Amino acid sequence: QACTFPCQCPSQPLQCPAGTSHVWDACGCCRVCARQLGELCSLHRPCDHHKGLYCDFSKIHRGSGICLAHEGATCDLLGKIYLNGESFQPTCKLQCICMDGAIGCIPLCSDDLRLPSPECPNPRRVKFHNKCCEEWVCEEGSEENRLGTAMAVFREDPPHQPELNNLQENCLVQTTEWSACSRSCGMGISARVTNDNPQCRLEKETRLCMVRPCDFHVEKTKKGKKCVRTPKPRQSLHFEFSGCTSTRSYRPRFCGSCSDGRCCTPFLTSTADVEFRCPEGDFFQRKMMFIKVCSCHYDCPRDNDIFLATHHRRMIGDHI
């Protein structure tokens, strides 16, 4: 009864606070900012179901309710208890949420890197007393130092300083190898730094990666062999990321296992765009690692290796 058709939605793009989901209203008409724990809710202002919240209409009348969380474990951070589904900011640089005993956070400050360029030869990050996040400041130096620093990332062919509209043409591309996947099984993140962009600016680039599914069963090794290095699944599969599913199926290679104490990690990889579809109907694309060859070795990562890694292996031979 509260829905009116045809739908009438605001023409301006939706602007929601960091960490807040975009969800459909109960009429299926408009995308709105999801209401958070303890906030008033209604058919047109639904709760954030991604965080396990629901609208309880039993406590408030006149078509409004209050967002409550389904039962779940609380979170303890530095002696302070947070309820399941509760959003909080432990520092001005992080927006966090408690999800059934686990804490997830997103950064509110950009961690971008910057390479010297003609318009900014001496970039420096500065902390201002009235701002939480550091900001880039361009320092002017002598003309000789200015050109010497900026030209370090440009080709030596041009006899003069490159014009700003020719930055990419004269850019000396510098790209690091992809880092090891952040998880030994399941979906993780791999990163690298590159200045292969129109501004010739050094930036961090990420891609999704999956060394192997956590429930992946490797075939038995052949007689005389101790490792199954790079097996392929028998059936095609759909990737899942943040509750969304890839629009097409894939038969990717994964890294296998060994019976002599060695571990297998990606060695040669490629990167491709994968399109995902979310339950709400949204589509988005992410770069994803596809394994070509794995290598088996004794330089194995520890458990939870995103924090405790002792290995320094990197994946090479990447082709976009």
Side-chain angles (χ1 to χ4, degrees):
Q1 294 177 352
C3 298
T4 56
F5 297 98
C7 299
Q8 294 181 348
C9 303
S11 57
Q12 296 83 9
L14 195 59
Q15 299 289 336
C16 300
T20 300
S21 304
H22 295 188
V23 297
W24 291 104
D25 60 23
C27 302
C29 274
C30 308
R31 302 300 294 272
V32 296
C33 298
R35 310 298 286 179
Q36 304 302 303
L37 186 68
E39 295 181 346
L40 293 178
C41 53
S42 65
L43 288 176
H44 298 289
R45 298 181 299 173
C47 300
D48 198 336
H49 62 272
H50 295 117
K51 300 176 181 176
L53 304 180
Y54 68 97
C55 194
D56 184 357
F57 291 98
S58 65
K59 303 188 184 317
I60 299 179
H61 301 292
R62 296 183 181 177
S64 294
I66 189 168
C67 287
L68 299 178
H70 295 288
E71 288 189 18
T74 59
C75 301
D76 183 350
L77 181 64
L78 301 176
K80 189 169 183 179
I81 303 299
Y82 297 96
L83 300 175
N84 179 39
E86 183 177 357
S87 297
F88 59 95
Q89 278 189 250
T91 72
C92 62
K93 295 183 177 182
L94 290 174
Q95 177 72 43
C96 302
I97 180 173
C98 173
M99 295 278 291
D100 196 17
I103 296 176
C105 300
I106 59 171
L108 299 178
C109 296
S110 171
D111 62 348
D112 62 324
L113 302 172
R114 189 161 184 175
L115 192 71
S117 58
E119 78 276 13
C120 185
N122 297 302
R124 187 166 64 92
R125 288 187 77 116
V126 176
K127 177 73 171 72
F128 295 97
H129 72 278
N130 59 340
K131 294 184 178 180
C132 174
C133 302
E134 295 177 335
E135 296 183 2
W136 283 109
V137 171
C138 296
E139 290 186 345
E140 292 293 337
S142 65
E143 186 67 18
E144 182 179 352
N145 182 52
R146 180 176 184 271
L147 280 175
T149 307
M151 290 295 289
V153 295
F154 292 93
R155 303 186 188 282
E156 297 179 359
D157 303 336
H160 55 82
Q161 177 186 352
E163 298 293 333
L164 294 184
N165 58 355
N166 291 330
L167 286 180
Q168 193 168 28
E169 180 182 347
N170 295 320
C171 184
L172 189 62
V173 175
Q174 302 177 40
T175 304
T176 66
E177 304 292 354
W178 289 103
S179 68
C181 193
S182 62
R183 295 188 61 180
S184 58
C185 75
M187 194 70 78
I189 298 291
S190 177
R192 70 178 179 182
V193 176
T194 181
N195 66 336
D196 190 8
N197 53 63
Q199 295 76 32
C200 191
R201 183 173 297 164
L202 202 62
E203 295 177 342
K204 185 178 180 181
E205 186 179 44
T206 60
R207 65 177 180 177
L208 300 177
C209 54
M210 185 184 291
V211 178
R212 64 184 65 83
C214 291
D215 58 352
F216 189 54
H217 296 290
V218 180
E219 298 177 3
K220 292 183 178 180
T221 56
K222 295 180 180 178
K223 189 173 182 180
K225 299 271 188 181
K226 294 188 176 180
C227 292
V228 178
R229 193 171 61 176
T230 316
K232 257 190 174 183
R234 292 181 177 178
Q235 297 180 338
S236 59
L237 55 85
H238 289 268
F239 294 118
E240 292 188 4
F241 175 65
S242 294
C244 305
T245 306
S246 61
T247 53
R248 53 161 290 194
S249 60
Y250 297 85
R251 282 195 65 204
R253 295 179 182 273
F254 295 122
C255 289
S257 61
C258 300
S259 59
D260 59 357
R262 287 183 290 172
C263 55
C264 294
T265 57
F267 181 65
L268 292 175
T269 69
S270 63
T271 303
D273 289 323
V274 174
E275 186 180 57
F276 290 86
R277 185 181 189 278
C278 301
E280 289 81 13
D282 281 351
F283 291 86
F284 66 89
Q285 282 191 340
R286 286 288 185 276
K287 292 183 184 299
M288 184 155 184
M289 173 192 81
F290 285 87
I291 297 171
K292 291 181 177 293
V293 178
C294 296
S295 65
C296 299
H297 50 85
Y298 290 104
D299 185 17
C300 299
R302 303 184 198 174
D303 291 337
N304 196 19
D305 61 353
I306 191 172
F307 298 111
L308 303 175
T310 57
H311 69 301
H312 300 284
R313 289 183 173 269
R314 293 294 181 264
M315 292 170 280
I316 65 172
D318 181 73
H319 304 280
I320 300 295

